[in-house]
Amino acid sequence: MRILLLNLTRFGDLLQSQPALAELAGQGHEIGVACLENFAGAAALLPEARAILPLPGGRLLAGLSGDWHAALAAVADFTDRTIRDFAPEAVVNLTPALAARLLARRLCGEAVRGFGLDPLGYRHESSPWATFLEASSASRGVSPFNVVDLFRKAAGVGVGPGRFALARPLRQALDAAGDRLAGAAPAETAFFVGFQLGASAAARQWPVAAFAEVGDRLWERFRAVPVLLGAPGERELGARYGELAGGPFVNLIGATDLPTLAAVVCRIQLLVSNDTGTLHLAAGLDVPSVAIFLATAQPFDTGPYREGCLCLEPDMPCHPCPFGRSCPNANACLTTIGPQTVFEAVAAFLESGVFPTGAYPGARAWLSTLDARGFMDMRSLSGHDAEPRAVWLRLLRRVLRQFLDEEAFTGPGPELFSLPETRRKAVLTLLGQSAELLWLLEGQAGLSVKNQAMKSRFLAGWDRLSALWTASPELGVLGRLWMQEAQQAPPDLPGLIARIRRYGECIAALAACLGHA
């Protein structure tokens, strides 16, 4: 079967769809990739892609500000060419935006995995995993799954371990990258370490001064030269680094296209990075990393999809920040993780090949690892596994995996999920309130069909449950999933009751795990 992957998002997200493509190709399917035109170079790093179909997104948006008829004609031309040149028999759409859903339906009708539309124009997801992928994007502080695994599941695969393997640059490109680095570094250079200074927002960027201090110490101790990586819009960060650094460095910010960037990344021993596309490029090229997660970024969902990488986040009770709110602490997390902590971690890895267990001052340190069922997970190196947030994420990971896979809940098992008693009681109270509301909704659903007063009570109960969950730090992601499913075409009455009952089983499973503790 010819399957077209539709991913109209960012550089890193496009790269992270590769494990899903690998599984689809492993099933014998022929794969094409439709992406934004400016990321066509990144799509070339996806070894399974037999066709790359770039969509001129920038020109389409510009056209809408002028003659929208021309913009619409351009979209029609893109879909006609895609159907003519690749003739997809199914689309895997990993972009939840309405425009992408419309495009997927235009290309393949109802043969869409991930995000689509039904014949009446209602939003439709092919599985609970796809619905969760969109719901969790607004509640990542309590999302326990790496986005790569969510992509895999939304694509209809994700059975067993995932493997992130981008296309390796050709030998000629690797040699050219090596010569370029050697020509820009001192003769006594031993090796190179990559620095990604930029991020999607200033609040997610570790200070340039901290990078510069780490770089200088790497030169003093190892004769390792930092290589500054980044997009043209981050050149100012490179200039700032040059003002602060005392040791040598190679500045390639804005000076590489994507294939060249990939070749350079293959020539470094280690990448020190904020949470950006370069981090995921390194993971797909099997290059180890030290990743720093600040503000809204956290390693459990957007950490590198490669075993043995170190993820550092501020050891602060407010981290990660919720989306859409200004920081009440003047972005204190930017300086909580100091350069000494990062340098010692990098030095230990360069000397031994592993990141050690122990203290990471100012940081919660996590090592990326695969769990027993093949999903990417995080293991604490700094003794934070027993903290309430980590415990709750582990509990959600267990129960939501069964919930989204539509498996029978297996009970708490031998694992203990221990929260501080005050918080445990508060969460059990929340779960009890949720169970009661779900029981009422299940009973009212059938009566609401014929009784207008009962219908009003049913809708009021529905709203109460939605408000209860979305206001909860623990169940916020479940609340958004509940609301996302409610926006799909309404099921028949038996389907609605089955859905309510299934949520009741999920709540009961969460309560059983906490009660077991």
Side-chain angles (χ1 to χ4, degrees):
M1 178 186 292
R2 286 182 301 279
I3 296 179
L4 180 70
L5 175 87
L6 182 62
N7 193 322
L8 304 181
T9 51
R10 299 172 298 178
F11 167 56
D13 290 336
L14 180 59
L15 295 181
Q16 290 177 104
S17 62
Q18 186 276 329
L21 292 182
E23 290 180 74
L24 291 168
Q27 295 174 351
H29 302 300
E30 183 180 351
I31 306 297
V33 174
C35 63
L36 294 174
E37 187 176 53
N38 51 323
F39 294 141
L45 297 171
L46 305 174
E48 296 78 18
R50 297 293 174 261
I52 298 171
L53 302 147
L55 177 70
R59 280 185 283 151
L60 290 175
L61 289 175
L64 288 174
S65 64
D67 182 1
W68 66 267
H69 298 85
L72 185 60
V75 174
D77 178 65
F78 171 80
T79 56
D80 290 345
R81 282 188 290 107
T82 299
I83 292 171
R84 182 189 68 228
D85 297 342
F86 186 69
E89 299 170 84
V91 168
V92 171
N93 176 26
L94 298 181
T95 305
L98 177 58
R101 292 173 186 263
L102 287 165
L103 189 58
R105 183 162 184 85
R106 170 67 180 83
L107 287 167
C108 265
E110 295 184 53
V112 176
R113 302 185 197 178
F115 303 104
L117 296 171
D118 72 8
L120 298 177
Y122 287 99
R123 54 181 295 131
H124 174 74
E125 281 84 50
S126 60
S127 73
W129 281 101
T131 309
F132 184 83
L133 172 58
E134 183 177 10
S136 64
S137 64
S139 227
R140 284 183 165 167
V142 284
S143 178
F145 303 115
N146 190 286
V147 71
V148 171
D149 290 318
L150 293 180
F151 282 165
R152 294 169 63 212
K153 283 294 192 176
V157 288
V159 178
R163 183 171 179 269
F164 191 11
L166 298 173
R168 297 280 299 180
L170 298 176
R171 171 54 59 184
Q172 182 179 4
L174 292 172
D175 290 344
D179 292 343
R180 184 175 183 179
L181 294 177
E188 63 268 37
T189 298
F191 54 87
F192 298 93
V193 174
F195 282 3
Q196 171 64 45
L197 306 183
S200 59
R204 294 163 64 122
Q205 291 177 183
W206 200 47
V208 174
F211 273 107
E213 183 173 334
V214 173
D216 288 350
R217 295 187 64 180
L218 285 173
W219 173 251
E220 292 168 4
R221 183 159 167 180
F222 297 101
R223 286 297 183 257
V225 171
V227 180
L228 311 186
L229 307 171
E234 298 168 346
R235 286 194 177 104
E236 184 178 335
L237 299 175
R240 177 68 176 152
Y241 186 98
E243 295 171 355
L244 296 169
F249 63 95
V250 178
N251 187 358
L252 296 183
I253 295 178
T256 60
D257 56 17
L258 289 178
T260 304
L261 176 61
V264 170
V265 167
C266 288
R267 288 301 191 186
I268 62 177
Q269 294 283 95
L270 178 77
L271 175 69
V272 182
S273 177
N274 296 303
D275 179 22
T276 67
T278 304
L279 173 66
H280 306 301
L281 174 65
L285 294 171
D286 199 27
V287 174
S289 60
V290 174
I292 302 169
F293 293 81
L294 304 171
T296 55
Q298 64 144 358
F300 290 91
D301 61 342
T302 59
Y305 203 85
R306 178 192 180 277
E307 288 194 280
C309 292
L310 177 65
C311 299
L312 301 175
E313 57 180 355
D315 190 11
M316 302 174 66
C318 59
H319 183 80
C321 301
F323 286 98
R325 300 182 194 174
S326 59
C327 177
N329 299 315
N331 297 320
C333 66
L334 291 176
T335 55
T336 299
I337 302 172
Q340 175 72 16
T341 296
V342 173
F343 172 74
E344 292 297 339
V346 171
F349 180 84
L350 293 174
E351 291 171 343
S352 68
V354 297
F355 295 105
T357 299
Y360 287 76
R364 299 191 289 254
W366 305 94
L367 189 72
S368 56
T369 183
L370 288 175
D371 69 15
R373 298 185 66 179
F375 271 24
M376 188 56 63
D377 197 1
M378 292 287 155
R379 177 172 64 84
S380 178
L381 295 177
S382 52
H384 289 86
D385 269 330
E387 286 201 342
R389 169 172 162 264
V391 171
W392 184 251
L393 284 172
R394 195 167 68 246
L395 192 160
L396 281 180
R397 187 180 181 87
R398 174 186 176 85
V399 174
L400 287 181
R401 180 74 186 264
Q402 297 175 4
F403 178 69
L404 297 170
D405 275 337
E406 300 182 308
E407 299 174 345
F409 293 106
T410 57
E415 187 175 9
L416 296 179
F417 300 96
S418 300
L419 295 175
E421 188 59 21
T422 301
R423 186 167 181 180
R424 176 174 172 269
K425 288 181 177 179
V427 174
L428 285 173
T429 298
L430 171 66
L431 295 173
Q433 294 170 339
S434 303
E436 182 177 344
L437 284 170
L438 286 163
W439 179 79
L440 288 172
L441 286 174
E442 183 180 341
Q444 292 168 345
L447 296 175
S448 66
V449 176
K450 298 180 179 180
N451 187 313
Q452 184 61 39
M454 189 59 70
K455 181 178 181 180
S456 298
R457 291 182 182 180
F458 174 81
L459 293 175
W462 187 285
D463 289 341
R464 282 181 61 197
L465 184 62
S466 298
L468 179 70
W469 284 352
T470 54
S472 162
E474 289 83 12
L475 297 182
V477 70
L478 196 65
R480 287 182 171 83
L481 181 63
W482 171 263
M483 291 192 296
Q484 292 287 107
E485 289 193 331
Q487 294 174 25
Q488 298 184 37
D492 55 21
L493 181 59
L496 177 61
I497 292 174
R499 179 184 294 175
I500 294 170
R501 189 172 295 156
R502 180 65 177 166
Y503 274 89
E505 293 169 350
C506 180
I507 291 297
L510 290 170
C513 289
L514 280 182
H516 180 65

